[in-house]
């Protein structure tokens, strides 16, 4: 991991009624309205996080869990201020 990147583990819940982030003591769950077929949920997840966090979609990458509900996300080329914001929202 480089200085301006961050790895976060989340759980995705596709087919939800609305896109939202739910934090619990044990995990971060991201609900996505898209269905888990043909990579739609993964694309919707990246789009949602990009809009919510105001960072480029190209700076968010699924590095593990492409076909799983448990995903490891890499946020790259982000400022330290943005890193703090992401950590407060997703950890």
């Amino acid at each position: 991991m480089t200085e301006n990147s961050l790895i976060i583990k989340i759980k995705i819940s596709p087919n939800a009624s609305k896109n939202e982030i739910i934090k619990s003591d044990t995990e971060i769950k991201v609900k996505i309205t898209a269905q888990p077929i043909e990579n739609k949920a993964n694309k919707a997840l990246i789009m949602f996080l990009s809009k919510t966090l105001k960072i480029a979609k190209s700076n968010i990458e699924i590095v593990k869990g492409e076909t799983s509900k448990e995903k490891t996300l890499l946020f790259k080329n982000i400022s330290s201020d943005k890193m703090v914001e992401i950590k407060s929202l997703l950890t």
Side-chain angles (χ1 to χ4, degrees):
M1 187 160 80
T2 62
E3 233 175 79
N4 58 351
S5 67
L6 182 65
I7 290 180
I8 304 256
K9 290 184 179 179
I10 60 135
K11 201 170 211 172
I12 186 173
S13 181
N15 265 341
S17 56
K18 67 177 184 174
N19 292 338
E20 62 182 330
I21 297 170
I22 297 170
K23 291 168 85 168
S24 74
D25 292 341
T26 55
E27 66 186 14
I28 302 298
K29 186 181 274 185
V30 181
K31 290 187 167 189
I32 296 295
T33 56
Q35 294 183 326
I37 52 172
E38 297 170 5
N39 216 16
K40 286 181 184 173
N42 287 342
K43 288 177 183 168
L45 171 68
I46 289 172
M47 181 93 65
F48 172 63
L49 291 176
S50 169
K51 281 183 180 171
T52 304
L53 300 167
K54 295 177 179 59
I55 55 177
K57 289 184 295 203
S58 59
N59 289 348
I60 304 171
E61 188 182 322
I62 298 171
V63 290
K64 190 175 175 194
E66 198 66 33
T67 58
S68 166
K69 285 188 177 194
E70 292 182 14
K71 301 193 181 298
T72 303
L73 302 174
L74 170 66
F75 295 88
K76 52 193 177 186
N77 302 322
I78 49 177
S79 67
S80 54
D81 291 347
K82 191 55 80 174
M83 214 175 273
V84 170
E85 187 184 328
I86 293 169
K87 282 181 182 176
S88 72
L89 193 65
L90 296 176
T91 57

